[in-house]
Amino acid sequence: MALRFYNTLSQQVEDFTPARDNTVRMYTCGPTVYDFAHIGNFRTFTFIDLLRKCLRLNGFQLRHVMNITDVDDKIIRNAVARHTPLAEYTTVYTDAFLEDCRVLRLERPEILARATDHIQEMALAIAKLSESGHTYTSEGSVYFKIASFPGYGKLSHNDFSGNIAGARVDVDSYEKADARDFALWKAPKDAEPFWDTALGPGRPGWHIECSVMAIQYLGETLDIHAGGVDLVFPHHENEIAQSESLTGQPFARFWLHAEFLMVEGQKMSKSLGNYYTLRDIIGKGYAPEAIRYLLASVPYRKQLNFTFDGLKAAAIAIDRLRNFKLRLETDRFPEGVNEAGNARLAEAGQAFRDSLNDDLNTAEALAAVFEYIRDANSAMDAGLFLAGNAAAALQFLAEFDCVFDVLKPSVKEGELSDAEVEARIAERTAAKKARNFALADQIRDQLLAQGIILEDTKSGIRWKRK
Ligand code: AMP
Ligand code: ZN
């Protein structure tokens, strides 16, 4: 099945290929670094990571830009309240975000672009919008005149005709599906930081950074633009208005939006106080892989309800996957190849890929994997799974893990790495050979104390983490 995505712009599922060569030019809205990100934010970033991996599974190359919003109303409010320079304040949370991404195994985009590194480019873009009659100025601030852009509303499918009254809005984020002229550039205020630019002193509004950085790094028309569903309006609508007014070209061919992570029927959010950071959850003893699995397991266009039971179920699912892999690696199967078994595997592989290509249906992709594991385990128990079937099954698990990336246990601080465990096991094997059973038992006990379980099997030692 060809790769296809639901496009918010057309409200249709459409076949996807990049417009030029084999490279997908993609822009995704990154974090606002005013605090630690919560796992609701990471649902969206995990979706982006899955998207990258599926695009690659389809043989495409990636040129992906993600912005770091390091200047906005909330950041300025917090930095000023703490008497901390803006850059110092945002560096702490940018670093924390990148570290959380590493822990959750989210790949770094090819280009990470900080808003404050692009202020002059933003000022030039705003000047250009002014030259072409898309703005007006009031008390040193520059506003985008949405009446000057006839397509306003085409992404959020709001019909604003008759509703474009020229009312203005100064805040970066606003909820109402109401057409407002938004701030491109804000005049300096009180103790707020500002930059000297071709427009005079001030700072950018939130929306302009994404238009400017996307066009600078990716060109006038992107293949994919993505983010959380709360960004459709006003942020992405405003990005389209700015970008298309600048270039006269369609800004993005595909718009993909991830639904919310919910808590008891409400969106997880800072303002509602119903959130957990990644650090909160790892602090409760849950593995990062379980969080990643949970966030990935529900297709991105469905809301996902966060519960600790869900997290426990994710950890159990990962155990099943790892146990199956261990069995493939260490069981001694009868010689030969079972052709029916290989056919069953090929069918599972096809279902896995087709499900992902069907607008990233991760739930069905996982079902294909678990149904195969169930069948393969039964075949193993019945002696029908043969030695010649193991390599292809391991290959399938590797393909699964190229996307889901949960098989390798995270090493916690102070914990032994895989290589260290293997080295201890080799020492134990040598001790046994030398008939030094006391030392062999001692090594086993030490490993057990560190959460490493050894099993002596006919085909050798196998080990796993508790
Ligand atoms: P922010 O740092 O507030 O700019 O948000 C970063 C990303 O997280 C954006 O793409 C938001 O749409 C997304 N986001 C915020 N809350 C949630 C949530 N509860 N579930 C999923 N995504 C979210
Ligand atoms: Zn954006």
Side-chain angles (χ1 to χ4, degrees):
M1 184 194 284
L3 179 60
R4 53 194 205 173
F5 297 126
Y6 179 85
N7 187 346
T8 308
L9 187 62
S10 64
Q11 296 182 300
Q12 311 266 336
V13 176
E14 296 176 44
D15 285 354
F16 175 83
T17 48
R20 275 184 290 150
D21 51 58
N22 202 39
T23 301
V24 178
R25 291 165 179 81
M26 172 159 92
Y27 186 93
T28 60
C29 294
T32 307
V33 285
Y34 72 106
D35 202 342
F36 294 107
H38 57 66
I39 57 164
N41 301 129
F42 282 114
R43 183 191 190 191
T44 292
F45 296 123
T46 302
F47 149 65
I48 303 288
D49 188 60
L50 295 170
L51 177 60
R52 283 180 60 90
K53 287 167 173 160
C54 289
L55 288 165
R56 211 180 284 117
L57 206 60
N58 279 275
F60 301 129
Q61 266 138 25
L62 292 164
R63 182 166 166 85
H64 170 195
V65 179
M66 184 173 78
N67 64 309
I68 304 274
T69 300
D70 58 356
V71 52
D72 90 326
D73 296 346
K74 281 182 285 203
I75 293 172
I76 291 175
R77 182 194 64 204
N78 289 6
V80 168
R82 292 185 202 184
H83 307 289
T84 309
L86 196 71
E88 197 178 301
Y89 179 76
T90 55
T91 299
V92 172
Y93 295 109
T94 305
D95 291 350
F97 173 75
L98 295 176
E99 171 60 12
D100 286 354
C101 287
R102 190 191 62 73
V103 169
L104 272 181
R105 306 176 185 188
L106 308 179
E107 285 176 357
R108 265 288 167 109
E110 283 63 38
I111 298 165
L112 266 183
R114 285 176 177 74
T116 54
D117 290 336
H118 299 78
I119 303 277
Q120 301 302 336
E121 291 90 331
M122 290 186 226
L124 291 176
I126 295 167
K128 200 169 158 202
L129 284 171
S130 299
E131 280 161 28
S132 52
H134 290 287
T135 72
Y136 57 89
T137 301
S138 171
E139 294 171 19
S141 294
V142 183
Y143 296 88
F144 187 91
K145 199 192 302 172
I146 61 172
S148 75
F149 182 68
Y152 199 78
K154 67 181 172 185
L155 181 70
S156 53
H157 303 282
N158 283 321
D159 180 6
F160 289 117
S161 53
N163 193 20
I164 298 185
R168 285 202 302 267
V169 57
D170 281 297
V171 291
D172 286 328
S173 193
Y174 47 99
E175 298 276 330
K176 270 189 292 175
D178 193 7
R180 298 285 182 106
D181 292 343
F182 55 92
L184 293 164
W185 187 254
K186 302 188 185 195
K189 236 183 10 203
D190 308 327
E192 287 191 353
F194 64 89
W195 285 261
D196 281 313
T197 68
L199 292 176
R203 64 165 173 111
W206 169 32
H207 312 292
I208 191 69
E209 67 182 65
C210 291
S211 293
V212 167
M213 298 193 292
I215 294 169
Q216 177 174 335
Y217 293 109
L218 299 171
E220 296 183 344
T221 301
L222 321 174
D223 289 309
I224 299 178
H225 195 315
V229 70
D230 53 342
L231 299 186
V232 175
F233 188 89
H235 182 54
H236 288 164
E237 198 71 73
N238 291 352
E239 281 191 36
I240 290 177
Q242 297 164 153
S243 307
E244 299 190 358
S245 298
L246 275 169
T247 68
Q249 299 299 318
F251 181 40
R253 298 168 55 231
F254 283 74
W255 287 87
L256 273 55
H257 291 101
E259 259 297 345
F260 290 139
L261 184 69
M262 308 289 287
V263 185
E264 287 165 7
Q266 282 183 306
K267 170 192 174 189
M268 180 176 285
S269 74
K270 280 269 151 61
S271 54
L272 291 172
N274 60 351
Y275 65 92
Y276 294 99
T277 64
L278 184 63
R279 289 138 200 260
D280 292 336
I281 297 191
I282 291 173
K284 289 178 190 291
Y286 293 94
E289 311 85 275
I291 304 166
R292 179 178 167 90
Y293 184 100
L294 177 67
L295 296 178
S297 62
V298 172
Y300 74 97
R301 290 207 302 124
K302 289 210 169 94
Q303 291 186 343
L304 162 53
N305 201 37
F306 175 76
T307 62
F308 283 97
D309 282 345
L311 208 47
K312 285 176 195 137
I316 291 169
I318 294 173
D319 270 349
R320 274 182 63 200
L321 290 157
R322 287 180 183 162
N323 285 336
F324 180 65
K325 178 161 182 268
L326 195 63
R327 196 169 180 190
L328 282 172
E329 286 166 342
T330 55
D331 267 16
R332 206 171 262 167
F333 303 111
E335 287 307 311
V337 180
N338 181 334
E339 291 304 339
N342 272 348
R344 175 69 190 86
L345 179 66
E347 182 198 330
Q350 196 60 48
F352 177 75
R353 287 183 288 274
D354 284 351
S355 303
L356 289 176
N357 279 358
D358 185 12
D359 198 23
L360 293 186
N361 192 333
T362 48
E364 282 194 4
L366 287 172
V369 174
F370 281 105
E371 282 160 23
Y372 170 71
I373 290 179
R374 187 199 55 209
D375 292 351
N377 271 324
S378 312
M380 288 173 183
D381 296 343
L384 297 172
F385 192 100
L386 304 182
N389 293 92
L394 279 167
Q395 180 54 40
F396 178 44
L397 281 185
E399 185 176 349
F400 154 81
D401 215 38
C402 273
V403 178
F404 284 88
D405 201 355
V406 292
L407 289 180
K408 198 169 163 19
S410 297
V411 176
K412 293 195 202 105
E413 225 172 296
E415 218 175 50
L416 293 179
S417 68
D418 286 5
E420 287 166 329
V421 174
E422 306 281 355
R424 296 294 283 154
I425 291 175
E427 281 172 39
R428 179 171 172 270
T429 308
K432 273 173 84 175
K433 236 187 190 156
R435 309 195 67 74
N436 186 348
F437 297 111
L439 177 60
D441 286 348
Q442 195 188 353
I443 293 173
R444 171 197 286 267
D445 292 345
Q446 282 169 349
L447 285 171
L448 187 62
Q450 306 225 37
I452 311 291
I453 302 167
L454 301 191
E455 280 172 21
D456 285 304
T457 71
K458 271 181 276 167
S459 44
I461 307 268
R462 62 185 189 189
W463 68 272
K464 61 181 183 183
R465 292 179 197 270
K466 238 199 283 198

